[in-house]
Structure formats: C-alpha cells, structure tokens
Amino acid sequence: MSFLYFDAGTGMMIVQAIAAVFAGILLFSKGVLYKIKSFFGMNKYDDDTYDSIDVDENEDEEDDKK
C-alpha cells in the first residue's frame, strides 16, 4: 500500500489554489451578473454625494486672490 505524503508547503499550496479558484469564480460571476443587469436596466444607481454640493465660483476666486 502506498500513501501520498504532502508536506506543509504542498498542502498550503493546494489550499491557496482552491481559495484562488473560489475567489476567481466569485468575482467573474459578479461581473457577469452586473453586465447582464445593466443590459436590462436593472441596476440601482446610488446618488453621488458630491453632485449635491453647490459651490459658488465667486467664493473660489475670492479665496485665490487672498
């Protein structure tokens, strides 16, 4: 009977490869789902907080002169 021997380095390399495959599948599927949702117009767009800030250009010019 022969048994396989995995030392610590080989075992962790296998675990790292499994984790990388899982993360790759997760990120790839998330990107595909985003593209499908955007194609059908089902994405929820969050309001950009910086779009609601009103800055007068006169105030900026006065600060630059000082």
Side-chain angles (χ1 to χ4, degrees):
M1 238 181 161
S2 69
F3 293 99
L4 295 175
Y5 171 73
F6 294 121
D7 63 344
T10 306
M12 288 308 296
M13 199 164 70
I14 292 170
V15 170
Q16 182 180 3
I18 292 170
V21 166
F22 178 74
I25 290 171
L26 182 69
L27 290 174
F28 178 75
S29 64
K30 191 174 183 180
V32 170
L33 285 175
Y34 178 78
K35 288 181 182 180
I36 291 171
K37 284 183 179 180
S38 65
F39 179 75
F40 290 112
M42 297 170 44
N43 284 344
K44 295 180 182 176
Y45 296 105
D46 294 333
D47 291 335
D48 190 10
T49 56
Y50 295 111
D51 285 343
S52 64
I53 298 174
D54 294 330
V55 177
D56 292 333
E57 291 182 15
N58 294 335
E59 292 177 4
D60 291 337
E61 291 173 4
E62 290 174 7
D63 290 339
D64 291 339
K65 291 179 183 177
K66 290 182 182 179

